Structure formats: C-alpha cells, structure tokens
Amino acid sequence: MQALCIVGLPPSDLTIYKMILTQCAVCATELGLSLGKKCGRCSTRYCGAACQVQHWKEGGHDQLCKAIKKAGGAEQYNANKMYEAHVAVAAEECAEDTKGQTCYICTQAVHWKTQEGLVRGCACRGTAGLAHVSCLAEQAKILFAEAEENNLDVEVKIERWNRWDTCSLCEQMYHSVVRCALGWACWKTYVGRPEGDGPRCVAMSVLGSGLHDAGHYEDVLSVQEAELAMKRRLGDTEYNILAVQGNIARTYISLGRHEDALRMSRDMYSGFVKLRGEEHEGSLGAACNYASSLFKLERFDEAKSLMHKTIPAARRILGENNDLTLRMRWLYAMTLHRDDDATLDDVREAVETLEETERIARRVFGGAHPLVADFERTLRDARAALRARETLAEAMASTTLGDA
Ligand SMILES: [Zn+2]
Ligand SMILES: [Zn+2]
Ligand SMILES: [Zn+2]
Ligand SMILES: [Zn+2]
C-alpha cells in the first residue's frame, strides 16, 4: 500500500495519505474517530499541538493546507488522492487485457478528462465489460442519486447501489484491483456526508471489501475498526454490527491472526444464529469464517462437523453458483485432504469436490477470477496427494500379496 501512496505527494506527508484518517498525520498515533486535534482550516488531524506545529513548519502543511481545505477537508482530499492512485494501479494491471479496446460507456480508449486507461475485473469476456473506473463510478453515482432524489423503492436503491461493486453486464462482483479502485470511488463520493448518513456508512464497507479483495489487509483492518467504532457510537442495529465483525474476522484470517479470528467468528456465528437462525446468509457467512479459522488452526474435526451442517444449507439457500457456497465446499475439500487421518476415500472425495467447484467457478466467474486460481492450486495439491496415496496403497497391496 505504501508504494501506492506516493503518487504526486511530498514524502513528508505520506502518513496522512494512508487510509481513512484515524491517525495523527505526523506520528501516526491512533486517534480513533474523535480524539486529538484538528487543523482549524482543513481538518487534518493530530495527536496534539506539538505534532501540528511540526507539520506546519517542517511537514509541508503550510503549502498544502489551502488545497486540502479547497478539496473539502482532509478526509475528502485523502480519498481523492487514494482514488487516483488506485485507478492508476488498476488500469496498469489491466493494460494487457484491455489493449486496443474501448470503454463500453464513453466509447473511448483513454478517458477524456482523467486520461486513465481501461479496466476489467468481472466475468465479462471477449470485448465485453471493458470500461474506465471513472465511467463506472460516474454511472453508479448518477443512478443512485436519481433513486435517492425520487425516493424510489428500497429494492431499486439497493440494485443501483450494487453498481459500486457489481458489473451490470455479467452481474458478477468486481474483483481485485478493480473492486479496490471502485471502493475508493464510492468512499470519495459519500465521505463528505454527515457521519450517520446511510450511504456514507455503506460506502465504508464497500471500501473495506475492495481493499480486502486487493490484498491490503492492514489497511482494511483500520477501515473496519473505524467502521465498527462508528456503528457502535451511532447505536446501529445488532445485525449491522455483527456484519462488520464478520468482515473483521475475515481480515484476521487474511492477516494470519487465527486465534483472534476464531474468537471473533465463533461469537459472530452464534450471534447471527440467535438473531436470524442457522440458515440465514449472515449465519452461513459467519460459519464460513468460523470453519476457515478452525482449518487454519488445524482443528479439522471441528471444521468438518461445522461444514457438514452448513454446506447443505448453503447449497440449498444460496445455490450452487454462489461464491460463499463454492468457498465453503473448497474449504471442506481442503480440510479433507490436509487432515493427517484422511482415508483414501476422503482424499478422493476432496479431489472430486475440487474438480466440481473449480468447474463451476470457472464457468460463473471466468478464468481470470482469483477464486479460480485458488481452486486450481488446491486441486493440483489434492491430485498429487491422491496419486501418492494410491501409489502407497498399491505398494501395500502387492506386498501383502507377495507375503501370501
Ligand atoms: Zn502526533
Ligand atoms: Zn490544515
Ligand atoms: Zn469510459
Ligand atoms: Zn462484467
């Protein structure tokens, strides 16, 4: 992440362009959402007067303060800069895939205003689905604004809001760098609204998911912790608070903090079950995080028994093509073949499950989706394990025959 932050910025100010602004701009002391001191003009935040003075005199804040204020304050300025940097990264990463093509929204190769290149990060294939992040963002913004202005039904609002993370053509969620750039686009669009504003709250989650998808785990955690603190302070519903905790548990898993993940996902799972029952999507998502932490801690039996219960429910309720269903089945297969006590039948079942989930994921999400790459890797390992087991079984059998 650090490497992305230096675009057009003086090095002394790196710390403030890191994330959502929950830290002192100079010494990075954690301030949460409300502690510390703000610059009276631009709202840049500090732990105290000493850091603020230092920033003005030596950190270049005297030069930047006006520009930050003009952009709408520190948080907005930061979001704008992060957005630009992440769009550049996404366009560069997609350059190969999008070469010689044009945007399906503005019909140009290079964006008329920002000069950015094209991206694609969904299940669209061939020449479909190529666009500029700015064009996708502009569409989402306009569509949602229209729904808000005309006070359209909640379903319509949700459908339009989904444009921030879901392709309208193939109806799959964006992934990796594209989802991350759109996360920043979404956050920069709504960050200026008052704190309790609905879309602003959801935008924070969209940003968090985008950062997670692009692998910026430390940054995700700071966004999610800020989100959790905000929701608690605003007295949000138990369901919404559990949902944020679920995302935090997922981040802990990605960061390798498995004990923390286990503790949090277990609490969340029981919280969701109490609130909505075992078969609700939230409970199933929590179960997946919970099983995943059990797997990482090599508590295979517990992981398996949890998934025996939740996978049939996921297949029935979310469907075979749903990414949570596929992730759970993949996890189950991994648990089967990594377990030291696995029988030959277990390993065979693992390979069969992986072959099927890989096929479905490839069909639904396209070969470029990171999930497909994960499935392929695991399938290769499982096949190798199966071959080794079969060779061993054959050797044993011939030895027995030889003895007889
Ligand atoms: Zn400080
Ligand atoms: Zn200032
Ligand atoms: Zn365009
Ligand atoms: Zn698409």
Side-chain angles (χ1 to χ4, degrees), residues 104 120-125 128-129 166-172 174:
Y104 77 88
R120 178 164 63 183
C122 56
C124 283
R125 280 152 239 201
T166 306
C167 172
S168 62
L169 305 175
C170 66
E171 296 184 356
Q172 290 301 327
Y174 297 111

Side-chain angles (χ1 to χ4, degrees), residues 130-404:
L130 298 150
H132 298 112
V133 177
S134 292
C135 291
L136 294 170
E138 193 62 16
Q139 262 198 347
K141 181 179 159 181
I142 291 169
L143 283 169
F144 187 72
E146 198 184 76
E148 271 193 316
E149 257 165 48
N150 301 316
N151 205 16
L152 303 180
D153 286 347
V154 178
E155 291 84 54
V156 180
K157 278 189 186 154
I158 292 174
E159 195 190 301
R160 293 193 173 186
W161 179 266
N162 288 345
R163 297 293 287 272
W164 285 114
D165 57 18
T166 306
C167 172
S168 62
L169 305 175
C170 66
E171 296 184 356
Q172 290 301 327
M173 272 198 165
Y174 297 111
H175 56 76
S176 321
V177 287
V178 177
R179 188 161 175 192
C180 187
L182 273 166
W184 279 109
C186 182
W187 177 240
K188 122 182 145 73
T189 305
Y190 303 102
V191 61
R193 295 188 175 196
E195 213 191 12
D197 176 81
R200 186 186 191 272
C201 288
V202 192
M204 216 184 226
S205 305
V206 173
L207 173 60
S209 304
L211 287 164
H212 193 279
D213 228 57
H216 303 304
Y217 304 127
E218 290 290 349
D219 300 317
V220 181
L221 196 59
S222 78
V223 174
Q224 287 169 339
E225 279 168 351
E227 191 186 352
L228 184 61
M230 177 185 75
K231 291 197 163 159
R232 283 199 170 126
R233 198 156 32 78
L234 295 171
D236 205 335
T237 63
E238 201 183 337
Y239 182 87
N240 285 344
I241 287 174
L242 279 172
V244 185
Q245 286 172 319
N247 293 335
I248 293 179
R250 197 159 75 100
T251 308
Y252 283 152
I253 296 172
S254 303
L255 285 168
R257 290 172 59 175
H258 301 308
E259 294 288 350
D260 290 331
L262 181 72
R263 195 176 26 78
M264 192 164 243
S265 56
R266 188 181 45 215
D267 292 353
M268 282 207 32
Y269 177 57
S270 61
F272 265 122
V273 169
K274 223 185 304 167
L275 213 59
R276 298 282 165 100
E278 271 181 356
E279 308 214 320
H280 185 267
E281 187 171 354
S283 309
L284 294 171
C288 189
N289 285 336
Y290 184 20
S292 183
S293 340
L294 287 168
F295 170 79
K296 295 281 186 188
L297 292 166
E298 303 193 355
R299 289 162 65 169
F300 298 128
D301 287 340
E302 288 162 86
K304 266 188 273 185
S305 80
L306 177 64
M307 286 188 280
H308 275 151
K309 203 161 58 176
T310 50
I311 289 175
R315 295 174 84 165
R316 199 171 61 248
I317 290 152
L318 308 173
E320 297 290 352
N321 293 345
N322 179 276
D323 86 308
L324 188 59
T325 307
L326 290 168
R327 268 174 217 279
M328 252 198 252
R329 294 187 65 196
W330 169 54
L331 186 60
Y332 181 71
M334 284 206 292
T335 312
L336 276 180
H337 97 86
R338 294 267 171 86
D339 190 345
D340 289 336
D341 300 328
T343 63
L344 189 53
D345 280 343
D346 286 340
V347 184
R348 283 202 183 109
E349 190 188 339
V351 170
E352 279 163 23
T353 305
L354 287 165
E355 281 170 346
E356 196 182 319
T357 47
E358 196 262 352
R359 203 164 46 237
I360 298 174
R362 182 179 292 280
R363 174 170 51 75
V364 178
F365 305 121
H369 197 283
L371 203 61
V372 177
D374 284 346
F375 285 12
E376 274 173 352
R377 206 175 316 115
T378 316
L379 180 57
R380 260 198 312 275
D381 291 351
R383 276 178 176 151
L386 180 60
R387 267 196 304 277
R389 293 292 288 261
E390 282 172 342
T391 313
L392 184 66
E394 262 167 48
M396 301 277 268
S398 61
T399 312
T400 319
L401 287 175
D403 285 350

Side-chain angles (χ1 to χ4, degrees), residues 103 105-108 111 118 131-132 135:
C103 173
I105 299 168
C106 73
T107 74
Q108 302 299 309
H111 191 272
L118 296 163
H132 298 112
C135 291

